[in-house]
Amino acid sequence: MRRENERLRAELKAAITDVFTRNHVRYGHRRVHHALVKAGWRIARKTVLSLMRGLGLVCRAIRRRDHVSIEVTQARSPRTCCSRNSPPTRRTRSGSLT
């Protein structure tokens, strides 16, 4: 019985490693568990988590980056784009601008 459990555990470790590497080291224990259940394995999520920790499998986190198009020193404030000396424009009753 013990040999059979060890064999199943070794097969499970191989399956976890396979799913993990096939998906470019991006899957965590939840997604690996889902893929294994879909493949026919009957396994608890915490078991997958502990085996992944034992194997040293850690998914790479996607890094969020700030995309800055212009430096802050060069950015113009919204007020500088309009001329401050020009009088405000108004519409007359006929619809033309004054």
Side-chain angles (χ1 to χ4, degrees):
M1 186 72 162
R2 183 180 170 120
R3 293 241 183 230
E4 186 177 332
N5 286 343
E6 289 175 3
R7 185 183 56 80
L8 285 174
R9 180 98 18 175
E11 287 179 17
L12 181 60
K13 285 181 180 180
I16 288 172
T17 306
D18 182 48
V19 169
F20 187 74
T21 54
R22 240 184 320 147
N23 293 292
H24 309 287
V25 194
R26 293 286 187 204
Y27 275 18
H29 71 276
R30 290 180 184 95
R31 288 169 87 177
V32 169
H33 174 260
H34 181 72
L36 291 173
V37 169
K38 211 170 168 183
W41 285 90
R42 191 168 175 207
I43 189 81
R45 191 170 37 208
K46 287 189 177 184
T47 305
V48 173
L49 173 63
S50 69
L51 288 175
M52 284 182 69
R53 282 184 180 163
L55 292 168
L57 303 177
V58 180
C59 67
R60 279 191 234 147
I62 298 173
R63 294 181 64 196
R64 303 287 180 203
R65 296 184 182 137
D66 293 334
H67 296 287
V68 179
S69 58
I70 341 177
E71 289 185 24
V72 177
T73 58
Q74 295 178 354
R76 295 186 304 162
S77 67
R79 292 183 181 208
T80 58
C81 64
C82 303
S83 174
R84 292 185 182 143
N85 297 330
S86 63
T89 56
R90 297 185 205 161
R91 290 205 177 265
T92 60
R93 289 186 182 172
S94 64
S96 63
L97 293 173
T98 60

